[in-house]
């Protein structure tokens, strides 16, 4: 999968934000989620846990997409 632009990551983060707000009552910071690998990783972890508890495939898929989109940023931070 080619690297996403920042605006594409923000759009994905916004979709996840709306889904989390609607289904979980959780408020997130969309821009921070799209630019900070550590924050995004925590949102992915929390979303996966909620998706597993509620068997919510949409949330699970959005979390997976965010994790993949943030991978290049996470690699840059880890070294």
């Amino acid at each position: 999968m080619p690297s996403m632009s920042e605006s594409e990551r923000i759009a994905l983060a916004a979709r996840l934000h709306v889904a989390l707000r609607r289904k979980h009552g959780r408020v997130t910071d969309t821009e921070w989620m799209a630019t900070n690998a550590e924050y995004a990783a925590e949102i992915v972890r929390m979303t996966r846990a909620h998706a597993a508890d509620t068997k919510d495939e949409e949330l699970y898929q959005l979390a997976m997409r965010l994790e993949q989109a943030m991978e290049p940023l996470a690699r840059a931070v880890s070294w």
Side-chain angles (χ1 to χ4, degrees), residues 4-48:
M4 282 188 173
S5 69
E6 184 174 338
S7 63
E8 290 171 317
R9 287 192 314 269
I10 290 171
L12 175 57
R15 280 192 64 199
L16 183 54
H17 169 85
V18 169
L20 285 170
R21 174 74 184 221
R22 186 179 72 239
K23 297 176 178 196
H24 190 46
R26 182 69 144 193
V27 177
T28 61
D29 185 321
T30 301
E31 191 169 341
W32 193 239
M33 190 187 323
T35 58
N36 183 284
E38 290 177 2
Y39 181 70
E42 181 56 23
I43 295 297
V44 166
R45 185 204 60 75
M46 183 268 309
T47 301
R48 278 189 180 144

